[in-house]
Structure formats: C-alpha cells, structure tokens
C-alpha cells in the first residue's frame, strides 16, 4: 500500500540533544512537508521541499534542519537550539499539482 | 495574506444530532478548500475537498460547499455518530503552482455522546 510512514511514534529527548525524525513516502510525490502541532492549535509549517536537494523554510524553521537527498525521504532534525521542542510532528507529501497533501501518522516528541 | 478562520470548539453533540462547523477564509484568487479530520493520536486524513466555487465536497455523510460570495466552506453532517468524535481542520491551498503551504484553521474538537 502507498503511504507515508513516520518513525518513531514516540521520542524522548534530553535537553541539549539533537534528534532526527524520519519521514518516508512511497507515493512518488515530489513535494514533502514538516508541520508542528501543539495542543489545541492548528498546524504550523516548519520546512518544505519541492524537489530533491532543495528545501525552503516555513513559518517556524528556527531550531530545525532538514535534508532531501532522496525523493522518498525527508528527515527532520530538531536541534538543541529549538527552545520548546515538545510537540506532535507531522510529515506530509503532495504530488502533481501540489494541491492535496497526504499526512503521515506523526511523531510525538517529548523533551525531558 | 491567506488565512482560515474556523469555529472554535469544543463541540459536544448527542448521537444522531445535526453538525455544522463553520469555516471562512481569506485569499486572493480562487483557492482550493479542504476539510481534514484527526482522530486521537493520529495524523490528518483528508475528509473532503472542493476546488472551485459552488463545488460540493462530500464523504462519509459529511458535506461542504465552496461559497465564494460568503468566502465560506462550512462542514455539515445530518446525523453524527460516536465514531465521528475527532478534531476537524479546515484548510486552504492558494491557487499557485509549486509546493504550497496549506493554511489551516485552529481545529474544532467534536465529541459525540451516545
């Protein structure tokens, strides 16, 4: 089945550590996205990528980094510079026309 | 800029009640409009969409009509079930080429009680 996978489902991090969240899609989509969701709030865009080896900052990119070395993969690193990283992180992708986005199941990151 | 304003929740209904969740938008041109649903602990799933004025999106008994004159895309369901309990997000995609940021509303939590 085609879809988007995110791992791990739950992630715990000590303050000062970098962590990397995985996102893989087998939908052959060109564009991929990372969103952050805080309790009771909507989604905020962190980074997005339209094509391999290219990505752009979203609304809240500070303290995060990404790479897009393969079409299928768009990992997100939460660095120690991110002041309040505890949140639910959602990865999405979109295909031709870029109109509709498909979402993964999410990773819940907790900083201890 | 582009934005979505969504009815605040939470909304609590009895089973078989009628549901309306209001959504209005601000955008230049003619965006595409979406409703996404998020069940507890999960990602978002597309519920329905409409890409031009007067289009009606429908799925699983839910409907929403793209109203350009009122810049609205209200979600309705005639008879809700307990299994409809979730958070519902209205979203907008601007009519431009290339990868787009989806502009999301803040979400409306629906709880349906038996």
């Amino acid at each position: 089945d085609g879809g988007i996978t995110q791992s791990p489902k739950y992630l715990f991090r000590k303050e000062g550590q970098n962590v990397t969240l995985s996102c893989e899609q087998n939908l052959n989509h060109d564009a991929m996205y990372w969103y952050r969701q805080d309790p009771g709030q909507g989604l905020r865009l962190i980074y997005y990528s339209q094509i391999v080896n290219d990505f752009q900052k979203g609304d809240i990119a500070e303290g995060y980094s990404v790479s897009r070395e393969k079409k299928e993969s768009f990992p997100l690193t939460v660095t120690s510079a991110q002041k309040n990283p505890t949140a639910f992180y959602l990865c999405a992708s979109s295909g031709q026309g870029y109109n509709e986005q498909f979402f993964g199941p999410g990773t819940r990151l907790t900083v201890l | 800029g582009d934005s979505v304003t969504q009815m605040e929740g939470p909304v609590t209904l009895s089973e078989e009640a009628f549901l309306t969740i209001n959504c209005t938008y601000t955008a230049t041109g003619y965006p595409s409009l979406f409703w996404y649903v998020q069940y507890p602990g999960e990602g978002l799933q597309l519920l329905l969409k409409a890409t031009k004025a007067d289009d009606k999106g429908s799925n699983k008994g839910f409907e929403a009509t793209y109203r350009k004159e009122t810049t609205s895309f209200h979600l309705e369901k005639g008879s809700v079930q307990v299994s409809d309990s979730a958070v519902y997000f209205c979203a907008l995609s601007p009519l431009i080429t290339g990868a787009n940021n989806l502009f999301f509303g803040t979400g409306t939590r629906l709880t349906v009680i038996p």
Side-chain angles (χ1 to χ4, degrees), chain B residues 8-30:
Chain B
E8 289 194 18
V11 174
T12 302
L13 295 173
S14 298
E15 205 165 23
E16 298 184 4
F18 184 85
L19 169 71
T20 299
I21 301 177
N22 290 339
C23 173
T24 57
Y25 67 89
T26 302
T28 52
Y30 303 95

Side-chain angles (χ1 to χ4, degrees), chain A residues 35-37 41-45 90 103, chain B residues 44 89 102 104-105:
Chain A
Y35 291 94
R36 170 181 172 139
Q37 185 180 25
Q41 297 189 28
L43 279 67
R44 292 183 290 171
L45 184 67
L90 287 160
F103 284 80
Chain B
L44 274 66
F89 291 94
L102 272 181
F104 285 90

Side-chain angles (χ1 to χ4, degrees), chain B residues 2-84:
Chain B
D2 297 337
S3 66
V4 173
T5 301
Q6 186 175 341
M7 171 177 149
E8 289 194 18
V11 174
T12 302
L13 295 173
S14 298
E15 205 165 23
E16 298 184 4
F18 184 85
L19 169 71
T20 299
I21 301 177
N22 290 339
C23 173
T24 57
Y25 67 89
T26 302
T28 52
Y30 303 95
S32 294
L33 300 172
F34 306 85
W35 277 101
Y36 281 85
V37 59
Q38 184 178 36
Y39 298 102
E42 298 184 9
L44 274 66
Q45 300 174 25
L46 180 67
L47 181 59
L48 54 82
K49 68 178 182 180
T51 57
K52 61 183 188 295
D54 300 325
D55 266 3
K56 177 186 282 189
S58 61
N59 186 25
K60 299 180 182 178
F62 291 90
E63 293 183 341
T65 301
Y66 187 163
R67 300 284 188 203
K68 179 173 173 292
E69 62 275 13
T70 54
T71 62
S72 65
F73 193 55
H74 304 322
L75 182 69
E76 296 182 336
K77 186 174 186 182
S79 176
V80 294
Q81 306 300 312
V82 172
S83 58
D84 294 327

Side-chain angles (χ1 to χ4, degrees), chain A:
Chain A
D1 286 339
I4 302 175
T5 57
Q6 292 185 240
S7 62
K9 187 171 177 65
Y10 299 97
L11 186 56
F12 298 90
R13 189 195 93 174
K14 293 182 181 178
E15 280 195 34
Q17 286 182 336
N18 293 355
V19 288
T20 298
L21 283 59
S22 169
C23 177
E24 304 275 334
Q25 55 98 0
N26 60 4
L27 299 167
N28 200 33
H29 285 169
D30 288 316
M32 297 186 73
Y33 313 80
W34 274 105
Y35 291 94
R36 170 181 172 139
Q37 185 180 25
D38 293 287
Q41 297 189 28
L43 279 67
R44 292 183 290 171
L45 184 67
I46 304 172
Y47 268 98
Y48 66 98
S49 168
Q50 296 177 261
I51 197 168
V52 173
N53 292 323
D54 182 61
F55 47 83
Q56 287 79 41
K57 293 181 179 180
D59 300 321
I60 56 164
E62 185 176 350
Y64 300 97
S65 66
V66 294
S67 63
R68 186 86 188 275
E69 296 176 2
K70 299 186 300 183
K71 187 176 184 178
E72 301 81 17
S73 178
F74 191 40
L76 173 74
T77 296
V78 184
T79 75
S80 56
Q82 169 49 234
K83 293 186 172 66
N84 185 19
T86 295
F88 190 50
Y89 290 87
L90 287 160
C91 179
S93 69
S94 63
Q96 197 170 22
Y98 304 109
N99 198 268
E100 174 183 330
Q101 292 183 19
F102 295 82
F103 284 80
T107 292
R108 186 165 299 281
L109 172 63
T110 302
V111 173
L112 304 174

